Amino acid sequence: MTAVPRRPARGLSPLLVPLLVGGLVMLALGVYGRAHTPTGFAVGVAGFSAALPMKAWLTTGAFVLAIVQVLSALSMWGRLGIAVPPAVHRWSGRLAFLLTIPVAFHCLYALGLQYDVPRVLVHSLLGCFFYGVFTAKLLALPRRDAPGWTLPVLGGLAFTVLVGLWLTSSFWFFTAVGFRV
């Protein structure tokens, strides 16, 4: 399987709207997270003992699916030498995103954007950045006139930010608290 060829772009103008909207999403989440008074109450922890284990495990699931995303993207771009159906890439991305929704909702609603502890500040900023990059990637996806590097760069950024989110949340939780459910 090879990627759908893109026509040469006339500069970065095809990315203006996706990047602008992605930046606005990132900014809106940050402003909301900072301006909203956190409730301190856990939401949506069905099946888990508390909010932190829920967030750690769902983020770990998204992280594993993000690895599938990278491998399937490499396959679609002809970099692995094996053919992975494009549906694997689409569905692993959809599922990874869905796993992040209850985590982000809890973070914003119950905790807000925090800056007291460096790890938590980095995690909060990465969370906002993740949704901004994800938005930009989805809006750039149908743009056939975007530069050829657009999807690999935005996808790579989304993956890198998700790794950072996993390290500042799940990895921290598993090493500091343990493997609780």
Side-chain angles (χ1 to χ4, degrees):
M1 305 235 156
T2 58
V4 176
R6 293 179 179 266
R7 291 181 290 169
R10 295 185 178 110
L12 298 177
S13 59
L15 296 180
L16 184 61
V17 170
L19 292 177
L20 181 62
V21 173
L24 289 173
V25 165
M26 178 175 39
L27 185 64
L29 290 173
V31 167
Y32 175 79
R34 196 64 208 127
H36 167 71
T37 303
T39 65
F41 294 108
V43 292
V45 296
F48 294 95
S49 60
L52 285 180
M54 175 208 59
K55 290 167 46 176
W57 286 107
L58 291 180
T59 303
T60 298
F63 173 67
V64 168
L65 289 167
I67 293 170
V68 172
Q69 281 277 283
V70 170
L71 294 174
S72 60
L74 288 171
S75 172
M76 289 185 335
W77 289 86
R79 303 282 192 235
L80 284 185
I82 60 169
V84 175
V88 170
H89 186 76
R90 285 191 298 272
W91 280 102
S92 62
R94 290 171 181 156
L95 291 173
F97 178 75
L98 286 175
L99 288 177
T100 68
I101 297 294
V103 176
F105 180 76
H106 178 269
C107 288
L108 284 171
Y109 182 74
L111 305 174
L113 193 145
Q114 298 180 13
Y115 56 86
D116 300 352
V117 178
R119 176 191 64 80
V120 178
L121 170 64
V122 168
H123 181 76
S124 295
L125 295 175
L126 285 174
C128 296
F129 189 66
F130 172 77
Y131 283 100
V133 169
F134 184 81
T135 300
K137 181 185 178 217
L138 288 185
L139 292 175
L141 194 58
R143 301 295 312 246
R144 297 291 174 220
D145 55 346
W149 52 261
T150 302
L151 295 179
V153 166
L154 292 176
L157 270 174
F159 175 75
T160 302
V161 172
L162 192 57
V163 169
L165 285 166
W166 184 81
L167 288 171
T168 57
S169 62
S170 299
F171 180 76
W172 170 85
F173 178 80
F174 295 140
T175 56
V177 178
F179 289 93
R180 292 186 0 198
V181 179

